[in-house]
PDB file of all heavy atoms in Angstrom:
ATOM      1  N   VAL A  56      -9.128   8.351 -64.293  1.00  0.00           N
ATOM      2  CA  VAL A  56      -8.068   8.304 -65.316  1.00  0.00           C
ATOM      3  C   VAL A  56      -8.424   9.281 -66.433  1.00  0.00           C
ATOM      4  O   VAL A  56      -9.341   9.047 -67.222  1.00  0.00           O
ATOM      5  CB  VAL A  56      -7.867   6.871 -65.843  1.00  0.00           C
ATOM      6  CG1 VAL A  56      -6.795   6.860 -66.928  1.00  0.00           C
ATOM      7  CG2 VAL A  56      -7.469   5.933 -64.707  1.00  0.00           C
ATOM      8  N   LYS A  58      -6.480  10.528 -68.923  1.00  0.00           N
ATOM      9  CA  LYS A  58      -5.670  10.529 -70.156  1.00  0.00           C
ATOM     10  C   LYS A  58      -6.555  10.886 -71.346  1.00  0.00           C
ATOM     11  O   LYS A  58      -7.713  10.448 -71.399  1.00  0.00           O
ATOM     12  CB  LYS A  58      -5.027   9.156 -70.364  1.00  0.00           C
ATOM     13  CG  LYS A  58      -6.024   8.027 -70.579  1.00  0.00           C
ATOM     14  CD  LYS A  58      -5.346   6.663 -70.581  1.00  0.00           C
ATOM     15  CE  LYS A  58      -6.360   5.578 -70.896  1.00  0.00           C
ATOM     16  NZ  LYS A  58      -5.850   4.225 -70.593  1.00  0.00           N
ATOM     17  N   ASN A  79      -1.512   8.441 -68.086  1.00  0.00           N
ATOM     18  CA  ASN A  79      -0.625   7.351 -68.470  1.00  0.00           C
ATOM     19  C   ASN A  79       0.644   7.831 -69.179  1.00  0.00           C
ATOM     20  O   ASN A  79       1.518   7.013 -69.492  1.00  0.00           O
ATOM     21  CB  ASN A  79      -1.358   6.304 -69.326  1.00  0.00           C
ATOM     22  CG  ASN A  79      -1.758   6.834 -70.682  1.00  0.00           C
ATOM     23  OD1 ASN A  79      -1.897   8.045 -70.843  1.00  0.00           O
ATOM     24  ND2 ASN A  79      -1.937   5.949 -71.639  1.00  0.00           N
ATOM     25  N   VAL A 103      -0.272   5.931 -64.212  1.00  0.00           N
ATOM     26  CA  VAL A 103      -0.732   4.553 -64.400  1.00  0.00           C
ATOM     27  C   VAL A 103      -0.141   3.909 -65.647  1.00  0.00           C
ATOM     28  O   VAL A 103      -0.433   2.757 -65.949  1.00  0.00           O
ATOM     29  CB  VAL A 103      -2.288   4.468 -64.428  1.00  0.00           C
ATOM     30  CG1 VAL A 103      -2.871   5.008 -63.126  1.00  0.00           C
ATOM     31  CG2 VAL A 103      -2.877   5.198 -65.626  1.00  0.00           C
ATOM     32  N   MET A 184       0.026  -3.721 -58.635  1.00  0.00           N
ATOM     33  CA  MET A 184      -0.913  -3.250 -59.660  1.00  0.00           C
ATOM     34  C   MET A 184      -0.939  -4.263 -60.792  1.00  0.00           C
ATOM     35  O   MET A 184       0.078  -4.887 -61.091  1.00  0.00           O
ATOM     36  CB  MET A 184      -0.438  -1.883 -60.169  1.00  0.00           C
ATOM     37  CG  MET A 184      -1.296  -1.251 -61.254  1.00  0.00           C
ATOM     38  SD  MET A 184      -0.884  -1.765 -62.944  1.00  0.00           S
ATOM     39  CE  MET A 184      -1.231  -0.248 -63.828  1.00  0.00           C
ATOM     40  N   LEU A 186      -3.098  -5.186 -64.796  1.00  0.00           N
ATOM     41  CA  LEU A 186      -4.059  -4.970 -65.885  1.00  0.00           C
ATOM     42  C   LEU A 186      -4.319  -6.362 -66.449  1.00  0.00           C
ATOM     43  O   LEU A 186      -3.522  -6.849 -67.229  1.00  0.00           O
ATOM     44  CB  LEU A 186      -3.377  -4.166 -66.988  1.00  0.00           C
ATOM     45  CG  LEU A 186      -3.439  -2.668 -67.041  1.00  0.00           C
ATOM     46  CD1 LEU A 186      -2.360  -2.143 -67.967  1.00  0.00           C
ATOM     47  CD2 LEU A 186      -4.780  -2.207 -67.546  1.00  0.00           C
ATOM     48  N   MET A 216     -10.817  -1.405 -63.657  1.00  0.00           N
ATOM     49  CA  MET A 216     -11.022  -0.277 -64.565  1.00  0.00           C
ATOM     50  C   MET A 216     -12.535  -0.159 -64.804  1.00  0.00           C
ATOM     51  O   MET A 216     -13.316  -0.785 -64.097  1.00  0.00           O
ATOM     52  CB  MET A 216     -10.261  -0.502 -65.873  1.00  0.00           C
ATOM     53  CG  MET A 216      -8.868  -1.052 -65.615  1.00  0.00           C
ATOM     54  SD  MET A 216      -7.643  -0.996 -66.938  1.00  0.00           S
ATOM     55  CE  MET A 216      -8.549  -0.872 -68.434  1.00  0.00           C
ATOM     56  N   SER A 217     -12.948   0.624 -65.792  1.00  0.00           N
ATOM     57  CA  SER A 217     -14.391   0.871 -65.958  1.00  0.00           C
ATOM     58  C   SER A 217     -15.223  -0.402 -66.027  1.00  0.00           C
ATOM     59  O   SER A 217     -16.312  -0.465 -65.474  1.00  0.00           O
ATOM     60  CB  SER A 217     -14.639   1.713 -67.212  1.00  0.00           C
ATOM     61  OG  SER A 217     -14.170   3.012 -66.991  1.00  0.00           O
ATOM     62  N   ARG A 232      -8.886   2.285 -61.033  1.00  0.00           N
ATOM     63  CA  ARG A 232      -8.472   3.270 -62.039  1.00  0.00           C
ATOM     64  C   ARG A 232      -9.552   3.348 -63.116  1.00  0.00           C
ATOM     65  O   ARG A 232      -9.641   2.484 -63.976  1.00  0.00           O
ATOM     66  CB  ARG A 232      -7.130   2.850 -62.648  1.00  0.00           C
ATOM     67  CG  ARG A 232      -6.054   2.505 -61.598  1.00  0.00           C
ATOM     68  CD  ARG A 232      -4.782   2.035 -62.286  1.00  0.00           C
ATOM     69  NE  ARG A 232      -5.044   1.005 -63.268  1.00  0.00           N
ATOM     70  CZ  ARG A 232      -4.968  -0.316 -63.012  1.00  0.00           C
ATOM     71  NH1 ARG A 232      -4.605  -0.769 -61.846  1.00  0.00           N
ATOM     72  NH2 ARG A 232      -5.254  -1.170 -63.976  1.00  0.00           N
ATOM     73  N   VAL A 233     -10.389   4.370 -63.039  1.00  0.00           N
ATOM     74  CA  VAL A 233     -11.596   4.416 -63.869  1.00  0.00           C
ATOM     75  C   VAL A 233     -11.565   5.629 -64.799  1.00  0.00           C
ATOM     76  O   VAL A 233     -11.472   6.768 -64.330  1.00  0.00           O
ATOM     77  CB  VAL A 233     -12.855   4.450 -62.968  1.00  0.00           C
ATOM     78  CG1 VAL A 233     -14.110   4.553 -63.814  1.00  0.00           C
ATOM     79  CG2 VAL A 233     -12.912   3.219 -62.070  1.00  0.00           C
ATOM     80  N   GLY A 234     -11.623   5.374 -66.099  1.00  0.00           N
ATOM     81  CA  GLY A 234     -11.636   6.460 -67.080  1.00  0.00           C
ATOM     82  C   GLY A 234     -13.003   6.609 -67.721  1.00  0.00           C
ATOM     83  O   GLY A 234     -13.779   7.517 -67.410  1.00  0.00           O
ATOM     84  N   THR A 235     -13.316   5.682 -68.638  1.00  0.00           N
ATOM     85  CA  THR A 235     -14.526   5.770 -69.453  1.00  0.00           C
ATOM     86  C   THR A 235     -15.808   5.951 -68.639  1.00  0.00           C
ATOM     87  O   THR A 235     -16.677   6.744 -69.026  1.00  0.00           O
ATOM     88  CB  THR A 235     -14.640   4.494 -70.310  1.00  0.00           C
ATOM     89  OG1 THR A 235     -13.358   4.261 -70.915  1.00  0.00           O
ATOM     90  CG2 THR A 235     -15.680   4.646 -71.390  1.00  0.00           C
ATOM     91  N   ARG A 241     -13.297   7.710 -74.760  1.00  0.00           N
ATOM     92  CA  ARG A 241     -12.183   8.584 -75.159  1.00  0.00           C
ATOM     93  C   ARG A 241     -12.223   8.839 -76.648  1.00  0.00           C
ATOM     94  O   ARG A 241     -12.470   7.912 -77.430  1.00  0.00           O
ATOM     95  CB  ARG A 241     -10.841   7.922 -74.794  1.00  0.00           C
ATOM     96  CG  ARG A 241     -10.447   8.113 -73.347  1.00  0.00           C
ATOM     97  CD  ARG A 241      -9.118   7.481 -73.052  1.00  0.00           C
ATOM     98  NE  ARG A 241      -9.205   6.032 -73.039  1.00  0.00           N
ATOM     99  CZ  ARG A 241      -9.601   5.306 -71.992  1.00  0.00           C
ATOM    100  NH1 ARG A 241      -9.947   5.906 -70.887  1.00  0.00           N
ATOM    101  NH2 ARG A 241      -9.649   3.991 -72.063  1.00  0.00           N
TER     102      ARG A 241
HETATM  103  C1  LIG B 308      -6.767   3.884 -69.482  1.00  0.00           C
HETATM  104  C2  LIG B 308      -6.419   3.131 -68.281  1.00  0.00           C
HETATM  105  C3  LIG B 308      -7.374   2.887 -67.282  1.00  0.00           C
HETATM  106  C4  LIG B 308      -8.830   3.324 -67.377  1.00  0.00           C
HETATM  107  O1  LIG B 308      -9.484   2.570 -68.356  1.00  0.00           O
HETATM  108  P1  LIG B 308     -11.091   2.693 -68.552  1.00  0.00           P
HETATM  109  O2  LIG B 308     -11.443   1.392 -69.175  1.00  0.00           O
HETATM  110  O3  LIG B 308     -11.320   3.849 -69.456  1.00  0.00           O
HETATM  111  O4  LIG B 308     -11.694   2.856 -67.236  1.00  0.00           O
HETATM  112  C5  LIG B 308      -6.970   2.197 -66.149  1.00  0.00           C
HETATM  113  N1  LIG B 308      -5.705   1.772 -65.997  1.00  0.00           N
HETATM  114  C6  LIG B 308      -4.762   1.988 -66.934  1.00  0.00           C
HETATM  115  C7  LIG B 308      -3.382   1.490 -66.691  1.00  0.00           C
HETATM  116  C8  LIG B 308      -5.088   2.663 -68.100  1.00  0.00           C
HETATM  117  O5  LIG B 308      -4.136   2.871 -69.030  1.00  0.00           O
END
Side-chain angles (χ1 to χ4, degrees):
V56 178
K58 63 188 184 194
N79 67 336
V103 301
M184 179 274 214
L186 268 163
M216 317 196 338
S217 290
R232 310 177 310 266
V233 178
T235 313
R241 278 181 288 277

